[in-house]
Amino acid sequence: MNTRGFRSPLATRMEAFCQVRIGLGRKGVTDRKNLLYLDRFLQGELKSGDTITQEVARRWFEAMKHLSVGTRINHLSILRQFCRYLWHFDQRTYIVPRKLLPRRTRPAPYIYSRREVRDLLRGLRQLGPPGSLRPQTLAMLIGLLYAAGLRIGEALRLTLADVDLGSGALVIRRTKFFKSRYVPVSRSTAAALGEFIRCRNASGLSVEPTAPLFAGLSGRAYAHTTVSGPLMEVARKLGIRGPKGTPGPRIHDFRHTFAVHRL
């Protein structure tokens, strides 16, 4: 079996484990990255025929002490999952107890008020340069996150073919666990999308069905940073978010806001 970068005595099992995870709906890139760190460590710990024992796991914990909590959780989580898989082939394998994983602290969701949403959209429409499609694109994108509850990555991957104004629905492709879904939108949202698409197409951007809905002058889809930078700039001017480097409302909070306001 091609082990694609794994070099430790458990390389073959690691590659097979990655394929199992992909089959269960994982994208695999993050799993492989975290396993490669473990693989490098195991190259100096194991000989052919060895498995991951409690002592080996303890030394792996020690080697990660300098890392952030989030990184340690990712590394330990994939170790635990891999050990559970490996145990089925070698019952000498130590299964890391879940209680040994550090606790992850997540920021509490911020629920934007309806007034804050209106002010943010107004501020985005006032960004320069004059005559550019950029302000309208940013406002439409953020408005869609709020109105449809999309993740930012889902919105950025939308193409012209994914917008069905006749039925008032969006096709969301390549989302979590490789699933796709239809998302209905309100009449007002569909009308705003229709007007935006007319302006977008009139600006000279590609009108091919596969062309990105939210694109820059180059024709390439907007990136996350292309959206978050201007949004945070407007949020700071409005006093919704503090100075740079301080925590505060995020783009993903529009998804939480969508859920709360609809409920």
Side-chain angles (χ1 to χ4, degrees):
M1 179 183 288
N2 180 6
T3 53
R4 295 178 58 188
F6 299 127
R7 296 288 181 267
S8 75
L10 296 176
T12 301
R13 294 296 186 199
M14 285 184 171
E15 183 58 39
F17 172 72
C18 284
Q19 297 307 314
V20 169
R21 299 272 282 180
I22 290 172
L24 292 172
R26 299 278 300 189
K27 292 185 178 178
V29 176
T30 303
D31 286 350
R32 184 173 293 277
K33 179 181 176 182
N34 289 328
L35 276 174
L36 281 169
Y37 286 111
L38 176 63
D39 181 75
R40 287 195 209 111
F41 174 78
L42 294 179
Q43 287 178 47
E45 293 284 332
L46 304 182
K47 300 188 296 293
S48 179
D50 287 347
T51 189
I52 298 174
T53 63
Q54 185 172 1
E55 182 59 26
V56 171
R58 185 191 64 77
R59 288 197 290 271
W60 179 227
F61 298 160
E62 291 293 324
M64 290 191 296
K65 273 191 172 180
H66 66 288
L67 301 176
S68 68
V69 172
T71 302
R72 279 187 286 136
I73 288 174
N74 292 337
H75 286 342
L76 290 174
S77 178
I78 199 66
L79 170 66
R80 182 172 184 274
Q81 296 298 324
F82 178 59
C83 285
R84 290 176 63 191
Y85 170 82
L86 192 59
W87 182 87
H88 291 281
F89 304 95
D90 188 339
Q91 295 186 10
R92 297 174 301 159
T93 304
Y94 173 66
I95 299 180
V96 180
R98 184 183 292 275
K99 65 182 181 182
L100 292 185
L101 272 64
R103 289 188 175 275
R104 189 191 301 270
T105 55
R106 296 183 183 274
Y110 182 87
I111 307 304
Y112 295 96
S113 69
R114 288 178 171 81
R115 179 175 180 176
E116 286 174 335
V117 174
R118 287 194 297 269
D119 289 345
L120 284 167
L121 296 181
R122 187 181 304 113
L124 290 170
R125 292 190 190 100
Q126 293 171 355
L127 294 176
S132 167
L133 186 67
R134 175 174 174 260
Q136 192 174 351
T137 302
L138 291 170
M140 184 70 248
L141 177 53
I142 296 301
L144 192 59
L145 298 184
Y146 170 68
L150 303 184
R151 301 177 180 91
I152 180 64
E154 294 171 345
L156 294 175
R157 287 193 294 270
L158 284 172
T159 66
L160 293 177
D162 294 332
V163 182
D164 187 344
L165 295 177
S167 63
L170 307 174
V171 182
I172 309 301
R173 307 179 193 276
R174 292 180 294 152
T175 185
K176 274 191 173 182
F177 307 113
F178 304 118
K179 293 180 180 178
S180 296
R181 69 184 191 277
Y182 290 99
V183 174
V185 295
S186 66
R187 290 182 180 178
S188 60
T189 300
L193 272 170
E195 179 59 28
F196 168 73
I197 290 173
R198 283 191 288 274
C199 294
R200 176 206 175 281
N201 295 350
S203 71
L205 290 173
S206 172
V207 296
E208 290 294 320
T210 56
L213 175 63
F214 300 110
L217 293 176
S218 66
R220 291 194 296 269
Y222 267 33
H224 188 291
T225 53
T226 309
V227 182
S228 60
L231 176 65
M232 294 300 105
E233 175 189 338
V234 173
R236 289 187 184 99
K237 287 180 180 178
L238 295 171
I240 298 173
R241 191 178 170 99
K244 287 185 178 180
T246 59
R250 309 157 301 157
I251 286 185
H252 193 66
D253 289 322
F254 285 103
R255 184 167 164 83
H256 297 296
T257 302
F258 158 82
V260 171
H261 285 190
R262 294 310 170 273
L263 287 172

